[in-house]
Amino acid sequence: MKSNSIVEANFTGSHAVVIGSSMAGLLASRVLSDHFEKVTVIERDRPPETPQVRQGVPQGHHAHLLLMAGESVISQLFPGFFDELQAGGAISADASKDVCWFQFGVWKARFKSGFTFCFQSRTYLEWHLRRRLSAYSNVHFLEECDVTGLLSNRDRTHITGVQLKQRNRQQAVEELEADLVVDASGQGSKTSRWIEALGYQKPEETTVAIDFAYASRRYKCPQNFQEDWKSLSIYNKSPFGKRIGGIFPIEGSQWIVTMGGYFGDYPPNTEKGFLDFAHSLEMPHIYEQIKDAEPLTPIYTYKFPASIRRHYERLSSLPEGIVVVGDALCRFNPIYGQGMSVCALEAKTLDTCLREQRQHRDNRDITGLNRQYFQQVSQVIDIPWMMATSEDFRFPQTQGKRPLGTRFLQWYSAQLMELCSTNPTVLIRFLEVLNLLKKNTVLFHPYIVLQVLKWSLGFKDFNKASAERPRLEETEVKVAADISG
Ligand SMILES: Cc1cc2nc3c(=O)[nH]c(=O)nc-3n(C[C@H](O)[C@H](O)[C@H](O)COP(=O)(O)OP(=O)(O)OC[C@H]3O[C@@H](n4cnc5c(N)ncnc54)[C@H](O)[C@@H]3O)c2cc1C
């Protein structure tokens, strides 16, 4: 059992309650275990004994990429975590050498980038996080239990706990007091409605409607598989092509094959329809790999109508003692693989705010903590939100308010993504930004701006026809001198 020896004499509070034990809840709980004497994680599902999709997280059937920023935070919170995952079958991969990615009509260059990350299923990742968290002696789980409301003090200025109902008991609603409540209940979060009922305004919402759907299926990785890649993705060129697809390796020598389509152009869940959809992608590679591969599961589908961001940071008043994390705060279009990594960055922000709180306030005073958190975390969300939505706005059908400068960003990133087919330096910077390791301003370094301008003026050097997937040895690797910014 882990104890919190470094801070135990100096806790910020005695009890924190977390609603939901999925990615955001587990990561936030780990952070809270350093700051509160006791952390209670309340989850409506019964935890699976083995990594399995559960009712509260149906998206677990679909490919879940964890960006490098997310992997880095999880490694800090749970040292050795990804070594354990790999020992159990997760796949380590170089972000360029082992990944074939067709986007904007070109294959990205392939070379040993030195940026590695881990492929695993969502269920395996979450199951191991829960296992590691349960080793903390001050973290307790209340399962098969629904949070049905918030408790507040008499003048409604502080949230003082939650109301809950145990699923298998007839008993009426129970109450659980807490110094801090963290809402990690996902897209169906009721915090905005609950605080409205206490007399506060609901946070404004920004919605970008994309009418997107996924279909996914697990396959056995073929025994005679001899390609020089571990994962392969094909994104049809937007705004004309609305379809994407990918093969992602996971533990147990399996693949998850996930395909998706925008604006009603959904991948079907029938045998023939799934294969036909793969065949219709701009490149045939996914179809060629799966047409004879052995399927291990049915085809699961998932509809994703819109990305939604709730702006708690804009509220002029808010009760103390409540914080919102994960999809409950911001839900991203899944094709950019940002959701879980943003959960990790939010947990890190919560940790920073709790540490600052301890420096600036009397012990155990959390006044103003949530205001600080919502301000800081909105800056964390700004960049991935802008990156994802500006790509989605390439489609004229996308509904939502297009921010100023979107057209320029789209033009710039289109040139940049084409450049990624030939210029390893640009590709490395792009991968760093995509993986939320660096801010997107590094893509406006003078070296990159010059390359983009030259490219747009016609000095193009596509890696032969885009139809030919670059093999590793064919790609000349010349990374420009340090241009880090
Ligand atoms: C199809 C699809 C594919 C995706 N692919 C990726 C990807 O490749 N990479 C990536 O990073 N992200 C991806 N995402 C996003 C990712 O799944 C989410 O960002 C992530 O799961 C958010 O976690 P969360 O903990 O905030 O919410 P959720 O995962 O939605 O979990 C909420 C939890 O709260 C519990 N709960 C809800 N209400 C209550 C209540 N009242 N009381 C008690 N418990 C409650 C639920 O049972 C559940 O366990 C994808 C999403 C979808 C839909």
Side-chain angles (χ1 to χ4, degrees):
M1 284 280 175
K2 299 266 189 320
S3 71
N4 307 297
S5 50
I6 310 167
V7 286
E8 101 194 325
N10 196 14
F11 281 116
T12 305
S14 55
H15 189 206
V17 159
V18 179
I19 313 171
S21 71
S22 176
M23 289 303 294
L26 294 171
L27 295 170
S29 300
R30 166 63 194 90
V31 159
L32 295 168
S33 73
D34 282 347
H35 297 276
F36 288 82
E37 282 167 36
K38 181 177 171 188
V39 180
T40 305
V41 191
I42 307 176
E43 169 57 52
R44 67 164 57 131
D45 281 349
R46 181 205 295 255
E49 278 165 23
T50 54
Q52 274 171 21
V53 177
R54 56 188 175 84
Q55 206 181 351
V57 187
Q59 69 268 37
H61 287 296
H62 302 272
H64 267 69
L65 299 187
L66 182 65
L67 303 179
M68 289 179 223
E71 197 172 304
S72 161
V73 173
I74 293 175
S75 301
Q76 288 162 36
L77 295 176
F78 298 104
F81 185 78
F82 290 97
D83 295 337
E84 289 173 10
L85 259 56
Q86 282 169 37
I91 311 287
S92 168
D94 183 287
S96 169
K97 173 177 146 304
D98 297 324
V99 175
C100 273
W101 187 2
F102 185 83
Q103 191 189 22
F104 269 83
V106 287
W107 291 99
K108 299 213 185 307
R110 292 186 57 217
F111 57 96
K112 191 161 189 279
S113 69
F115 286 100
T116 54
F117 65 104
C118 206
F119 283 107
Q120 60 277 308
S121 68
R122 162 63 192 255
T123 45
Y124 187 74
L125 176 68
E126 192 185 304
W127 190 84
H128 277 283
L129 275 179
R130 190 186 182 287
R131 178 183 62 77
R132 285 290 299 264
L133 183 67
S134 52
Y136 283 77
S137 57
N138 61 340
V139 178
H140 303 265
F141 292 86
L142 258 181
E143 269 126 8
E144 295 185 85
C145 195
D146 264 301
V147 171
T148 54
L150 298 174
L151 305 174
S152 72
N153 61 351
R154 192 182 286 261
D155 56 9
R156 301 178 168 192
T157 53
H158 286 67
I159 299 302
T160 56
V162 293
Q163 292 176 329
L164 48 92
K165 193 162 188 326
Q166 311 247 7
R167 287 208 153 179
N168 45 11
R169 287 199 207 157
Q170 296 304 319
Q171 219 169 313
V173 170
E174 297 167 40
E175 296 189 344
L176 188 63
E177 296 203 338
D179 307 300
L180 180 68
V181 175
V182 175
D183 176 7
S185 63
Q187 56 150 340
S189 161
K190 297 200 176 69
T191 291
S192 59
R193 268 189 265 158
W194 288 335
I195 64 169
E196 190 185 34
L198 290 174
Y200 294 85
Q201 282 195 324
K202 276 169 99 168
E204 288 170 26
E205 287 185 0
T206 304
T207 301
V208 177
I210 51 173
D211 186 13
F212 184 77
Y214 263 174
S216 299
R217 181 176 223 184
R218 286 192 187 204
Y219 288 86
K220 200 168 182 177
C221 176
Q223 269 183 343
N224 57 353
F225 180 73
Q226 282 180 342
E227 301 290 332
D228 61 3
W229 49 265
K230 294 181 180 173
S231 173
L232 185 139
S233 294
I234 295 163
Y235 285 37
N236 283 2
K237 192 168 180 176
S238 56
F240 314 108
K242 300 186 200 127
R243 301 183 170 192
I244 62 152
I247 297 179
F248 306 95
I250 54 166
E251 69 283 353
S253 304
Q254 297 180 8
W255 284 342
I256 292 189
V257 174
T258 287
M259 294 190 286
Y262 284 87
F263 307 109
D265 189 13
Y266 303 153
N269 65 351
T270 57
E271 298 284 333
K272 183 173 178 322
F274 195 72
L275 279 179
D276 286 349
F277 195 92
H279 203 230
S280 75
L281 295 171
E282 274 176 32
M283 289 290 143
H285 302 74
I286 297 178
Y287 171 75
E288 282 166 5
Q289 290 297 331
I290 62 172
K291 68 181 180 356
D292 301 317
E294 183 187 338
L296 299 172
T297 62
I299 300 161
Y300 294 99
T301 55
Y302 193 104
K303 285 195 181 153
F304 187 95
S307 304
I308 299 175
R309 184 172 177 184
R310 297 190 172 113
H311 295 279
Y312 285 91
E313 76 283 2
R314 293 186 190 161
L315 287 176
S316 56
S317 65
L318 185 70
E320 301 288 348
I322 175 94
V323 155
V324 184
V325 293
D327 279 19
L329 185 59
C330 185
R331 191 166 194 236
F332 297 88
N333 176 351
I335 76 163
Y336 307 103
Q338 296 169 323
M340 301 189 300
S341 297
V342 172
C343 290
L345 294 171
E346 289 166 356
K348 196 175 157 191
T349 307
L350 182 59
D351 185 49
T352 306
C353 293
L354 282 159
R355 284 174 202 281
E356 288 171 0
Q357 187 80 11
R358 243 190 276 153
Q359 279 170 5
H360 300 304
R361 293 258 173 190
D362 288 344
N363 213 4
R364 295 177 182 256
D365 178 0
I366 61 161
T367 313
L369 170 80
N370 59 359
R371 190 150 294 282
Q372 266 305 318
Y373 165 79
F374 284 124
Q375 291 301 331
Q376 291 192 24
V377 95
S378 92
Q379 291 169 27
V380 169
I381 293 171
D382 277 347
I383 291 180
W385 177 263
M386 190 258 286
M387 288 186 337
T389 54
S390 69
E391 282 307 311
D392 288 340
F393 279 130
R394 282 188 197 277
F395 296 102
Q397 302 94 322
T398 303
Q399 286 173 25
K401 192 163 173 267
R402 285 163 167 77
L404 217 64
T406 301
R407 274 192 193 285
F408 168 74
L409 271 182
Q410 289 170 343
W411 172 83
Y412 192 84
S413 73
Q415 309 299 313
L416 200 91
M417 285 190 257
E418 286 183 5
L419 260 170
C420 286
S421 65
T422 60
N423 187 322
T425 309
V426 173
L427 178 57
I428 284 191
R429 286 295 165 268
F430 171 72
L431 288 175
E432 286 173 329
V433 172
L434 190 79
N435 279 280
L436 307 177
L437 294 174
K438 288 203 168 154
K439 291 197 171 154
N440 56 349
T441 46
V442 299
L443 297 175
F444 293 91
H445 184 282
Y447 168 83
I448 297 185
V449 172
L450 188 64
Q451 302 307 311
V452 164
L453 288 177
K454 276 166 63 181
W455 188 267
S456 66
L457 289 171
F459 296 95
K460 302 199 176 189
D461 176 24
F462 282 115
N463 48 17
K464 298 204 200 132
S466 46
E468 278 182 47
R469 189 171 57 76
R471 301 199 79 81
L472 270 177
E473 61 278 11
E474 290 171 7
T475 310
E476 189 188 350
V477 181
K478 271 198 223 135
V479 179
D482 182 31
I483 61 154
S484 53

